[in-house]
Amino acid sequence: MSILVTRPHPDNEATAESLRARGHPVLLAPVLKFEPVAFHDENEAGYGAIIVTSANAIRAVAPQLRDLGLLELPLFAVGEHTAAAARDAGFAEVIVAGGDAAALRDKVIQSARDRLLKKKSTLLYLVGADLSRDLGGELGAEGFSVVTQTTYRMAPVKHLPREVCEGFAAHGVEAVLHYSRRSARAFLDAARDEGVEISALAIPQCCLSEAIASVLRDAGASQVLVAATPDENALFDTLERALHTRLA
């Protein structure tokens, strides 16, 4: 019985490695494909800091960061995974929030109150093409100047790998891990197109957040579990709980 990881490449490989270390066979079905978007910065005034809610936003512009002089700026990362990508790209000053956009917003606001960040300085917000939350607008309402730059898009993959479809048909998939609302929707669409939707929704769906879980519940999944906190270790704990419940 395998655990299905719907996370896009390359993050899915690290997830698979962690799951295998815990003794779980793994199937990979990256239902979104990463596509960089050309980055053109026309702000001549400069920035006071960078805010990022996805490691992909950093990966997309990594080759340009040094030439643009952005590596010298403090970077506010939504969580530890994104922070690690920022450090790998060369950022020296990385401030880590609690794992979601609300925590990142609060971290930026608190940094301004603590005078670690000048509120009058302009923030560069690196994002994907499909935003689930208007963090720039929320910070703007708090008096910050935010420039939002799209650096990548995640395109839905229309078909599941053959071994995944065969796994569902043979009841060989034990649970599915979901990391975003968009990937959850893309997974549902692909499962429906492949004719395996009923089998796919009959097993535990382990979600990184309640917002993701609502997508699965709305589609008819009855075994939907949410991580206690929006990080992968908590998601793995949720998976173990789901598997234990099935065996009990």
Side-chain angles (χ1 to χ4, degrees), residues 33-68:
K33 182 180 179 182
F34 171 71
E35 297 178 351
V37 173
F39 178 73
H40 302 291
D41 183 22
E42 298 178 357
N43 180 41
E44 297 180 358
Y47 302 104
I50 299 172
I51 53 178
V52 185
T53 52
S54 169
N56 283 324
I58 299 170
R59 294 183 184 124
V61 295
Q64 299 173 257
L65 290 171
R66 190 170 301 281
D67 290 342
L68 292 171

